[in-house]
């Protein structure tokens, strides 16, 4: 649904939820928030610019005053509805954590874990005092490793979330969603994605130069001489560039067929000769047997071209370069739990130089998010008891059912889809599972040890715990009740292999959902989010999976051709938007990378509006009656657009456009509005006006 504008979460990679959380300030042990955050109004009349013409620029009308009212704090890359709610939710989590960090008298085991994890994270004086002593054993292993020992060391580091050489994990088998299988895939990069290494514009060259400076500084802090650190940093960039060239682009990876290559383990091992993969598998705690799509001991290779190139790059690099590469990735992965200089250096590059954020976030936010990443369901269980009543879950479920009913009717009206494919589309729709708020069964953390005063050790043990939990699924039945996000998360998602839509309690708060708001407002806010996730099941990726979650060609060739013609319209529309107005290097939205999200925005809004009209009729609500000067349909569309009110730094927008499948917020509002069949009547806009073009795009 949405990625908050940040690259560097506090929690190690394997323990973070799908949403990347903002980074924060490295400060001494400190009190919780000085600023008190309050929920945004569900219908923000103050953000509306009544002098703007809604038919000319609807975003400016609905959000014209937002930026002036929400200057960007020095510790954020931007402000939008997601960030505003994230701050409120994090403040609420912090209240829970402060309580259990301070009061050890009557804590349950989970309350002990979340309280002590948080208290340890906040104790930066102790972190500084310890220096590198806690991480030194791993640094010593790296300094001593010879080439034959690299597979085992890589497995040990990857188990702790260190991004070294490639990635390994588990997933549902795309062709048999009842099975969990092992996956090898590309990885090992320090910059956000592969094109940062290959683009040739002045800004990209500057970023790579700054990256070498960052690597040099981190290696120097770890004990290398500045001269050797500079040599190693340049060699690391050259090594990672080889990995990047062999990697697929983010756009290419949006095609599920492109990342699904079943292989026997023997075939995979033959592609990486002379590397012995068994020590790696043992060190990362993979199961002794890897049952997969081709029988016993078989895996999914996400990018078969990557691994021979990776092995060649390792073979060509000298051992000092490989050691320096592993050292800096280890230090970078745990910089938040190391002395101040490491944390500050990491933020300076990834936060300030890549995204333009001048100042890090307060430590209490970082540590609250860190607990959510490491022990999300233990913390989330307390959160939902306090902030997500059963009545909110019931109202949300009603909206979900209304919107699913709207899609059922919408499919009947499609003129471009054959009756044969319509039947199968409805079969899939009727199999979608709805998950609201929080899991039915909470995760068991009894085997995770949390030690007060051991911030780095807690983070490492939490990451290893999650790694082992995930890999233990290989060969086991799929748990369809499992969640991929924690309950407090400000986000939502559709899972094509599960064929389910998921809405954590964290996003079902004002402004996105307010149990006291008018029907039109909730359907414009949360309803559009629900419709968005449901439509993901039928976008250019989701449509390739059937109702059972299997990668399956259930469309007729003629319907595929029609669908691709419809979606190419969206590719061209969004691809024409200029996100960064730079006379030297203007940055346009990537219409292909963002196609899935744009399809979901457009289709989801159509469905939410249909559902709103049907619900209003059933409840006898007069949609033409004005509330606060606006009719129901006007409130609906304003609420939707206000999901995307923003004030963002240009550097953050640039980073988003280059890496993120979501379009910048401004374009998510107007880009969808121009394609809405109900908008012109709601605001009396004439055909041919900017918001009601003569030709528009419509898929669902």
């Amino acid at each position: 649904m949405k990625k908050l504008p940040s690259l560097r979460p506090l929690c190690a990679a394997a323990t973070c939820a799908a949403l990347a959380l903002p980074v924060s300030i490295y400060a001494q042990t400190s009190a919780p928030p000085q600023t008190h955050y309050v929920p945004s109004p569900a219908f923000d009349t103050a953000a509306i610019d009544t002098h703007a013409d809604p038919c000319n620029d609807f975003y400016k009308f609905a959000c014209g005053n937002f930026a002036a009212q929400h200057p960007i704090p020095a510790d954020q890359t931007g402000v939008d509805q997601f960030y505003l709610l994230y701050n409120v939710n994090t403040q609420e989590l912090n209240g829970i954590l402060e309580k259990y960090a301070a009061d050890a008298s009557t804590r349950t085991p989970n309350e002990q874990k979340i309280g002590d994890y948080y208290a340890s994270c906040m104790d930066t004086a102790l972190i500084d005092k310890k220096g590198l002593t806690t991480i030194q054993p791993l640094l010593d292993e790296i300094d001593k490793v010879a080439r034959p020992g690299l597979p085992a060391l890589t497995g040990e580091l990857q188990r702790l979330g260190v991004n070294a050489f490639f990635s390994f994990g588990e997933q549902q088998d795309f062709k048999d969603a009842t099975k969990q299988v092992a996956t090898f895939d590309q990885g090992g990069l320090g910059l956000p994605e592969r094109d940062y290494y290959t683009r040739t514009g002045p800004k990209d060259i500057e970023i790579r130069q700054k990256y070498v400076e960052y690597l040099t500084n981190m290696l120097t802090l770890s004990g290398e001489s500045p001269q050797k650190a500079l040599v190693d940093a340049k060699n690391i960039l050259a090594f990672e560039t080889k990995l990047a060239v062999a990697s697929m682009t983010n756009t290419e990876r949006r095609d599920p067929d492109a990342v699904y290559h079943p292989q026997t383990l023997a075939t995979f091992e033959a592609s990486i000769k002379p590397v012995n993969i068994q020590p790696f598998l043992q060190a990362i705690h993979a199961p002794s047997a890897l049952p997969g799509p081709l029988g016993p001991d078989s895996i999914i290779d996400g990018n078969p071209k990557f691994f021979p190139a990776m092995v060649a790059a390792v073979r060509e690099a000298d051992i000092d370069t490989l050691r320096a590469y592993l050292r800096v990735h280890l230090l970078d992965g745990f910089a938040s739990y190391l002395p101040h200089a490491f944390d500050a250096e990491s933020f300076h590059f990834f936060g300030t130089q890549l995204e333009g954020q001048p100042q890090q976030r307060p430590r209490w936010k970082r540590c609250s998010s860190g607990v959510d990443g490491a022990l999300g369901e233990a913390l989330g269980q307390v959160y939902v008891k306090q902030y997500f009543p059963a009545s909110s879950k019931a109202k949300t479920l009603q909206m979900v059912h209304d919107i699913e009913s709207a899609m059922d009717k919408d499919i009947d009206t499609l003129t471009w889809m054959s009756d044969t494919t319509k039947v199968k589309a409805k079969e899939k729709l009727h199999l979608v599972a709805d998950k609201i708020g929080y899991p039915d069964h909470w995760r068991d953390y009894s085997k995770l040890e949390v030690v007060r005063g051991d911030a780095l050790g807690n983070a490492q043990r939490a990451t290893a715990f999650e790694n082992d939990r995930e890999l233990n699924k290989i060969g086991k039945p799929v748990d369809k009740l499992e969640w991929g996000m924690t309950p407090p998360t400000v986000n939502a998602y559709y899972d094509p292999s599960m064929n389910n839509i998921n809405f954590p309690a964290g996003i079902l708060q004002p402004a996105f959902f307010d149990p006291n708001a008018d029907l039109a407002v909730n359907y414009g806010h949360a309803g559009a989010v629900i419709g968005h996730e449901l439509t993901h099941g039928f976008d250019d990726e989701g449509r390739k999976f059937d109702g059972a979650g299997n990668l399956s060609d259930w469309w007729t060739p003629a319907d595929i051709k029609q669908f691709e013609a419809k979606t190419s319209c969206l590719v061209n529309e969004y691809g024409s938007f200029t996100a960064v107005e730079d006379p030297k290097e203007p940055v346009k939205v990537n219409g292909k990378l963002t196609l899935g999200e744009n399809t979901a925005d457009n289709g989801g809004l159509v469905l939410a509006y249909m559902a709103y009209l049907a619900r209003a009729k059933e409840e006898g609500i007069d949609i033409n009656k004005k509330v606060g000067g606006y009719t129901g349909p006007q409130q609906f569309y304003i609420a939707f657009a206000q999901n995307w009110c923003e004030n963002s730094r240009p550097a953050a927008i640039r980073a988003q456009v280059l890496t993120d499948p979501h379009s910048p917020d401004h374009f998510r509002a107007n880009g969808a509005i121009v394609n809405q069949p109900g908008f012109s009547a709601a605001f009396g806009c004439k055909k041919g006006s900017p918001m009601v073009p003569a030709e528009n795009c419509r898929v669902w």
Side-chain angles (χ1 to χ4, degrees):
M1 178 65 198
K2 171 71 175 180
K3 180 182 179 182
L4 289 178
S6 170
L7 298 169
R8 311 297 290 175
L10 178 84
C11 47
T15 62
C16 284
L19 177 66
L21 296 171
V23 292
S24 53
I25 193 168
Y26 192 104
Q28 295 303 311
T29 305
S30 59
Q34 303 270 328
T35 303
H36 180 70
Y37 298 104
V38 296
S40 299
F43 191 76
D44 190 355
T45 55
I48 298 172
D49 181 356
T50 56
H51 299 290
D53 183 352
C55 302
N56 186 53
D57 185 338
F58 193 67
Y59 177 87
K60 186 176 181 181
F61 170 76
C63 299
N65 295 329
F66 183 87
Q69 294 170 343
H70 297 86
I72 305 173
D75 63 354
Q76 293 182 193
T77 57
V79 184
D80 62 8
Q81 294 290 5
F82 289 80
Y83 239 131
L84 293 173
L85 180 51
Y86 165 80
N87 284 334
V88 171
N89 285 6
T90 305
Q91 178 178 262
E92 291 167 346
L93 295 181
N94 185 255
I96 295 168
L97 293 168
E98 283 286 334
K99 173 184 176 182
Y100 294 123
D103 181 10
S105 59
T106 58
R107 298 185 301 183
T108 66
N110 274 354
E111 290 165 355
Q112 173 268 318
K113 292 180 194 299
I114 63 176
D116 287 354
Y117 196 106
Y118 173 78
S120 304
C121 178
M122 291 294 291
D123 194 352
T124 54
L126 181 57
I127 292 172
D128 276 338
K129 183 179 179 180
K130 287 185 175 182
L132 294 178
T133 55
T134 308
I135 208 168
Q136 193 62 51
L138 286 170
L139 293 172
D140 291 343
E141 281 191 62
I142 291 171
D143 289 341
K144 295 174 183 176
V145 72
R147 288 183 185 274
L150 282 173
L153 180 57
T154 301
E156 182 180 4
L157 294 174
Q158 284 198 21
R159 183 169 179 255
L160 299 178
V162 178
N163 179 24
F165 298 121
F166 59 92
S167 65
F168 175 77
E170 63 76 33
Q171 68 176 47
Q172 284 175 263
D173 186 347
F174 280 180
K175 294 293 181 73
D176 184 353
T178 66
K179 296 178 179 178
Q180 302 276 160
V181 296
T183 63
F184 286 89
D185 210 341
Q186 65 189 49
L189 303 181
L191 289 170
E193 54 93 34
R194 59 95 66 193
D195 288 347
Y196 275 79
Y197 296 86
T198 60
R199 285 189 296 263
T200 58
K203 183 64 176 176
D204 299 293
I205 293 172
E206 178 188 359
I207 287 175
R208 290 193 288 272
Q209 291 170 343
K210 297 291 186 183
Y211 183 51
V212 169
E213 292 177 13
Y214 164 68
L215 295 173
T216 301
N217 292 342
M218 289 291 277
L219 291 169
T220 302
L221 287 171
S222 73
E224 286 193 8
S225 70
Q227 295 78 14
K228 185 177 189 312
L230 177 59
V231 172
D232 284 341
K234 290 180 178 178
N235 289 339
I236 290 170
L237 177 62
F239 174 74
E240 289 184 356
T241 299
K242 292 180 180 179
L243 300 186
V245 170
S247 299
M248 299 168 65
T249 67
N250 284 354
T251 302
E252 290 170 334
R253 292 182 64 81
R254 291 195 63 255
D255 180 359
D257 289 297
V259 294
Y260 182 78
H261 304 281
Q263 295 178 346
T264 64
L265 188 59
T267 299
F268 176 77
E269 289 178 306
S271 74
I272 59 172
K273 283 185 177 179
V275 176
N276 180 4
I277 202 63
Q278 292 302 323
F280 167 83
L281 293 172
Q282 292 168 12
I284 201 171
H285 287 204
S288 56
L290 299 176
L294 301 180
D297 285 330
S298 60
I299 54 94
I300 302 296
D301 186 341
N303 183 356
K305 294 181 180 179
F306 174 80
F307 286 94
M310 182 269 293
V311 172
V314 171
R315 183 176 61 247
E316 293 162 4
D318 60 68
I319 193 64
D320 281 350
T321 296
L322 298 176
R323 289 169 178 165
Y325 165 81
L326 292 174
R327 188 183 308 118
V328 80
H329 276 264
L330 172 64
L331 294 170
D332 175 70
F334 290 101
S336 302
Y337 301 98
L338 296 176
H340 171 65
F342 290 90
D343 181 75
E345 189 63 45
S346 180
F347 171 77
H348 177 65
F349 177 70
F350 289 102
T352 302
Q353 293 182 332
L354 282 188
E355 295 209 322
Q357 183 175 327
Q359 178 182 314
Q360 294 190 15
R361 289 187 149 242
R363 185 75 181 182
W364 68 266
K365 285 188 182 179
R366 160 184 277 189
C367 292
S368 298
S369 295
V371 179
D372 184 43
L375 292 140
E377 291 194 14
L379 178 58
Q381 190 170 7
V382 183
Y383 171 80
V384 297
K385 286 180 181 178
Q386 296 186 24
Y387 298 106
F388 191 63
S391 57
S392 289
K393 183 169 184 175
K395 287 185 177 181
T396 303
L397 188 59
Q398 179 66 67
M399 277 198 291
V400 170
H401 290 161
D402 287 351
I403 290 165
E404 289 171 340
S405 177
M407 175 166 260
D408 187 281
K409 295 179 175 65
D410 183 57
I411 290 171
D412 288 332
T413 69
L414 298 176
T415 58
W416 57 268
M417 180 180 281
S418 68
D419 290 341
T420 300
T421 304
K422 284 181 180 181
V423 169
K424 293 182 178 179
K426 286 195 173 189
E427 288 175 357
K428 177 175 182 176
L429 171 64
H430 297 156
L431 288 171
V432 171
D434 310 322
K435 291 160 67 178
I436 312 296
Y438 49 87
D440 292 335
H441 304 287
W442 296 101
R443 192 162 297 169
D444 179 5
Y445 294 101
S446 59
K447 294 182 180 180
L448 173 59
E449 182 184 19
V450 175
V451 179
R452 197 176 186 104
D454 188 12
L456 176 60
N458 290 336
Q460 290 177 334
R461 286 187 292 273
T463 309
F465 172 85
E466 180 62 13
N467 172 86
D468 295 353
R469 191 188 71 82
E470 292 284 344
L471 296 186
N472 190 51
K473 298 177 188 176
I474 296 171
K476 304 283 180 63
V478 172
D479 180 4
K480 289 184 173 291
L481 298 179
E482 183 177 9
W483 280 66
M485 289 180 178
T486 67
T489 300
V490 187
N491 210 340
Y493 68 99
Y494 169 78
D495 186 328
S497 293
M498 293 283 195
N499 193 28
N500 61 25
I501 49 178
N502 305 261
F503 307 98
I507 199 171
L508 299 173
Q509 310 290 334
F512 292 99
F513 173 77
D514 184 341
N516 299 314
D518 288 344
L519 189 75
V521 173
N522 274 334
Y523 277 72
H525 275 311
V529 172
I530 294 165
H532 172 103
E533 300 307 338
L534 185 61
T535 305
H536 267 315
F538 302 87
D539 67 15
D540 61 310
E541 287 183 88
R543 73 158 193 86
K544 295 186 175 184
F545 293 82
D546 62 22
N550 296 319
L551 189 60
S552 170
D553 189 4
W554 51 274
W555 294 58
T556 68
D559 287 338
I560 293 173
K561 186 175 181 180
Q562 290 273 17
F563 177 85
E564 290 176 346
K566 296 287 185 181
T567 56
S568 68
C569 180
L570 289 175
V571 170
N572 294 331
E573 177 194 342
Y574 285 82
S576 69
F577 298 148
T578 301
V580 180
E581 299 281 0
D582 185 328
K584 294 182 180 179
E585 285 189 272
V587 180
K588 285 187 172 291
V589 175
N590 184 336
K592 291 183 178 179
L593 176 62
T594 59
L595 175 58
E597 299 299 330
N598 299 334
T599 303
D601 280 348
N602 279 266
L605 187 56
V606 169
L607 299 180
Y609 190 63
M610 291 174 62
Y612 158 64
L613 294 178
R615 174 56 50 188
K617 182 178 180 180
E618 183 171 328
E619 295 186 5
I621 296 173
D622 181 2
I623 64 171
N624 295 313
K625 180 182 178 181
K626 291 189 175 183
V627 177
Y630 299 100
T631 66
Q634 289 173 339
Q635 289 184 78
F636 172 89
Y637 286 115
I638 292 170
F640 163 75
Q642 289 187 343
N643 279 351
W644 309 114
C645 293
E646 69 164 335
N647 187 12
S648 298
R649 302 184 193 280
I653 295 177
R654 183 182 192 276
Q656 176 187 351
V657 171
L658 295 177
T659 63
D660 196 325
H662 301 86
S663 299
D665 289 354
H666 179 113
F667 304 115
R668 296 188 73 170
N670 280 357
I673 287 293
V674 297
N675 299 316
Q676 295 304 305
F679 175 77
S680 61
F683 285 89
C685 301
K686 295 181 179 179
K687 195 174 186 67
S689 62
M691 292 293 98
V692 189
E695 300 292 334
N696 59 17
C697 303
R698 175 79 188 276
V699 183
W700 297 100

